[in-house]
């Protein structure tokens, strides 16, 4: 038998969903003492600030030695996710390999012909610091991104490498755009991605608009994030993306659902799911659970609610000249097929479709609402989305 919850460890919350809290603005604010909602609402401002800060750094020197053999983005957690975003935005026709590296140091093959981008929101991540030091020793071109006046800045300055200072205003998971924009602009300086100032401005505006739609004062029936949180409540969520870009957004949603709402999540690419994982819909938490469900049971029964799946589908839609999206017809058929399978088995499903005129803006439109949904789900369970006691405890044990 497991040990009882130790309240002194900072664990709080309840399994039942307090749906009424979602439309009580005062209660939302009171249950979010760390300001995770506010930090997430600042995503558009993060894009603008990171763009301005990066513009003040001389990244042109990166291109002086020509195109690199490969580009490695080193970090952990959200910092490494910024590398995944770059790899996705760069697409399959990128002329050089793009690798998100999550371990300490750098791959053994990294040398003078390569570029290493070390990313850490705190500027203290062991993975980013070790990568920056290894890149300097091996003569690789280095760019460092992180908190100003941090150990990472010191390593960059010793190696006379560019450093983009990103003020730490929130936990790393709420700083995706602050960390990702400098990574993308460094890649642009190397000629690896095509991102214009207009793309960045439109992405920031999209994030602002979605933050307004998802604000606490917007009631559940008009707030897409609250509606999504309610559709996920009490379930084991599956999040599938219909393209590489949508899959990247799905994995981001998995990150925030785990950290903010403490829900276990299955994420992946919809086409790949058809090779095996779609079988989950027939399993213990899927059709088997739904076939034995008592339609007269109390909808608030915790045992009933926690033994079912929910499916969230993120649809890219793509652009006519886009190289990183599935063909629109293929995407539609896959989504419609999964929706039909879910309906035949009584499994809840939700569809979110990307909007926007650029790859970056479409990605933003698939990330913003789920980010807020993970926070509302956390708050409805009485959890503090900012403070994750188990993460803090693990760090302390490893540090000791």
């Amino acid at each position: 038998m497991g040990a009882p919850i130790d309240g002194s460890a900072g664990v709080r919350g309840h399994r039942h969903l307090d749906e009424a809290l979602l439309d009580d603005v005062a209660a939302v604010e009171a249950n979010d003492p760390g300001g995770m909602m506010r930090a997430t609402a600042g995503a558009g401002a993060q894009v603008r600030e990171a763009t301005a800060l990066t513009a003040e750094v001389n990244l042109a020197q990166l291109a002086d030695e020509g195109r690199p053999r490969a580009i490695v983005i080193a970090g952990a957690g959200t910092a490494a996710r910024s590398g995944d975003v770059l790899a996705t935005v760069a697409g399959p026709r990128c002329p050089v390999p793009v690798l998100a590296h999550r371990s300490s140091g750098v791959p053994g093959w990294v040398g003078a012909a390569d570029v290493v981008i070390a990313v850490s929101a705190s500027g203290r991540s062991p993975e980013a610091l070790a990568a920056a030091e290894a890149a300097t020793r091996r003569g690789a071109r280095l760019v460092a991104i992180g908190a100003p006046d941090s150990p990472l800045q010191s390593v960059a300055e010793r190696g006379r490498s560019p450093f983009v200072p990103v003020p730490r205003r929130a936990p790393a998971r709420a700083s995706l755009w602050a960390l990702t924009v400098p990574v993308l602009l460094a890649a642009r300086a190397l000629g690896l991605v095509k991102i214009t100032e207009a793309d960045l401005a439109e992405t920031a505006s999209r994030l602002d608009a979605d933050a307004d739609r998802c604000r606490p004062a917007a009631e559940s029936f008009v707030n897409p994030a609250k509606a999504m949180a309610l559709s996920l409540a009490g379930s084991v969520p599956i999040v599938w993306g219909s393209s590489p870009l949508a899959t990247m957004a799905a994995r981001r949603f998995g990150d925030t659902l785990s950290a903010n709402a403490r829900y276990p999540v299955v994420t992946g690419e919809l086409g790949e799911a058809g090779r095996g994982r779609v079988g989950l819909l027939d399993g213990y938490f899927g059709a088997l659970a739904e076939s034995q469900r008592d339609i007269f049971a109390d909808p608030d029964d915790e045992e009933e609610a926690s033994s079912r799946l929910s499916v969230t589908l993120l649809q890219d839609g793509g652009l006519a000249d886009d190289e990183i999206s599935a063909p629109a017809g293929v995407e539609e058929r896959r989504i419609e097929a999964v929706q039909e399978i879910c309906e035949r088995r009584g499994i809840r499903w939700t569809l979110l479709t990307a909007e926007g005129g650029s790859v970056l803006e479409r990605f933003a439109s698939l990330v913003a609402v789920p980010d807020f949904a993970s926070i509302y789900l956390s708050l409805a369970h009485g959890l503090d989305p900012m403070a994750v006691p188990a993460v803090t405890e693990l760090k302390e044990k490893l540090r000791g």
Side-chain angles (χ1 to χ4, degrees), residues 303-358:
E303 185 175 352
E304 282 280 308
S306 62
S307 60
R308 63 190 308 181
L309 294 178
S310 66
V311 174
T312 301
L313 300 171
L314 303 184
Q315 181 177 11
D316 184 353
L319 301 172
D321 58 349
D322 192 357
E323 298 171 351
I324 64 173
S325 301
V330 173
E331 197 176 32
E332 286 286 351
R333 286 196 297 275
R334 286 173 177 167
I335 288 174
E336 289 174 359
V338 171
Q339 289 171 340
E340 182 178 345
I341 291 170
C342 287
E343 287 175 356
R344 290 178 62 186
R345 287 156 176 77
I347 296 171
R348 291 174 290 173
W349 61 267
T350 300
L351 175 66
L352 178 63
T353 301
E355 299 178 353
S358 69

Side-chain angles (χ1 to χ4, degrees), residues 95-270:
V96 305
V98 178
L99 172 67
H101 184 69
R102 290 170 164 81
S103 304
S104 293
V106 294
W109 48 261
V110 169
D114 306 303
V115 169
V116 173
I117 304 179
V119 187
S120 170
S122 66
R124 299 177 179 277
S125 158
E127 293 83 3
L129 288 171
E133 290 167 351
T136 301
R137 286 196 306 271
R138 298 188 192 186
R141 281 173 276 177
L142 170 67
V143 180
I145 300 164
D149 302 318
S150 64
L152 186 58
Q153 180 172 1
S154 298
V155 173
E157 289 176 346
R158 286 199 303 270
R160 298 183 179 180
S161 300
F163 177 78
V164 181
V166 178
R168 190 175 190 188
R169 308 190 191 285
R173 65 183 183 279
S175 306
L176 175 68
W177 294 99
L179 299 176
T180 298
V181 168
V183 171
L184 295 172
L185 293 179
R188 184 180 72 173
L190 291 163
L192 304 182
V193 294
K194 296 179 180 179
I195 295 175
T196 66
E197 303 308 315
D199 292 338
L200 292 165
E202 289 164 3
T203 297
S205 295
R206 171 72 58 181
L207 291 167
D208 288 343
D210 282 337
D212 184 63
R213 293 168 60 214
C214 298
R215 69 192 186 280
E219 296 183 347
S220 297
F221 63 90
V222 294
N223 187 317
K226 291 180 182 179
M228 182 176 284
L230 292 173
S231 74
L232 293 169
S235 73
V236 178
I238 295 177
V239 188
W240 284 326
S242 64
S243 73
L245 192 74
T247 300
M248 185 68 259
R251 293 194 172 114
R252 162 66 180 181
F253 195 15
D255 293 341
T256 57
L257 277 174
S258 297
N260 293 339
R262 282 64 135 178
Y263 267 51
V265 195
V266 177
T267 65
E269 199 270 326
L270 186 56

